[in-house]
Amino acid sequence: MNDLQYLEFPPQLAQILARTEELKFTMASEPRTGALLRVLAASKPAGRMLELGTGTGVATAWLLAGMDAQSTLVSVDVHASVQQVARDALGNDPRLSIQTEDAAALVRRQPPHSFDLVFADAMAGKYEALDEALAVVKPGGYYIIDDMLPQPSWPDGHADKVPLLMAKLSAKAEFQIVPMAWASGVVIAVKKAAAQ
């Protein structure tokens, strides 16, 4: 089976990808990851979603494509010039709030159990402020990360961080995780419901 053959791409994605190429931005999510995000977002009707690392808005477009009309998405990035691509292509969607600031600072201000889905696509929320990002996930909610397989854009020394992160995630008793050597390397974690 060709896992890309049957994908329906979000309507704004071509525009976003063209601008992403122009900017030579190499950290955008790839289509299989995007399709997975769309499916997971669709499983949370009237859900609250959080994206840590807007980038140019590639994953943002996929998340919005899966969300229903009552769902909301907060997307945060510290790089306003790159994030402007997402603002231009997606900024008119009333379900989307684009914030330009440090993602760790934003996540630290959120109350516990406040999001149905957190996609951590930046250093913050993944390699930094991990506990804070996990704390905002509701019981039954998703925490998703990608780029866990070697990437050409990784800086020197980054490969050593991946096994440490995986060890931390697998030790979190309140989460069930599934690491997948698929797409760019994806991990889906689901927060367990509190014991009765």
Side-chain angles (χ1 to χ4, degrees), residues 44-187:
K44 299 296 182 184
R48 292 192 71 225
M49 320 294 170
L50 175 63
E51 179 184 30
L52 304 174
T54 312
T56 55
V58 171
T60 317
W62 284 102
L63 285 163
L64 289 168
M67 291 166 40
D68 66 13
Q70 291 74 43
S71 293
T72 59
L73 171 62
V74 175
S75 185
V76 59
D77 203 300
V78 72
H79 300 290
S81 60
V82 174
Q83 193 184 51
Q84 188 61 45
V85 176
R87 284 187 190 280
D88 293 343
L90 306 167
N92 289 333
D93 191 318
R95 301 170 299 166
L96 176 62
S97 171
I98 298 176
Q99 307 292 323
T100 305
E101 67 172 294
D102 176 68
L106 181 138
V107 82
R108 286 183 178 118
R109 291 196 310 271
Q110 306 308 308
H113 305 157
S114 53
F115 290 96
D116 296 287
L117 182 153
V118 174
F119 177 47
D121 197 21
M123 295 298 278
K126 191 188 300 189
Y127 298 102
E128 303 160 13
L130 173 64
D131 289 336
E132 292 90 334
L134 294 174
V136 302
V137 179
K138 291 180 182 180
Y142 299 112
Y143 171 84
I144 306 127
I145 54 176
D146 67 347
D147 300 332
M148 300 303 288
L149 292 173
Q151 304 292 309
S153 55
W154 278 1
D156 289 342
H158 185 83
D160 296 336
K161 295 179 179 184
V162 172
L164 298 174
L165 174 58
M166 290 306 303
K168 285 181 186 176
L169 279 176
S170 63
K172 299 289 183 186
E174 70 272 30
F175 282 86
Q176 295 283 358
I177 73 165
V178 58
M180 299 184 296
W182 172 83
S184 64
V186 177
V187 178

Side-chain angles (χ1 to χ4, degrees), residues 26-50:
T26 60
M27 299 298 291
S29 295
E30 58 98 59
R32 289 172 292 184
T33 301
L36 178 63
L37 290 171
R38 177 174 54 196
V39 166
L40 295 177
S43 77
K44 299 296 182 184
R48 292 192 71 225
M49 320 294 170
L50 175 63

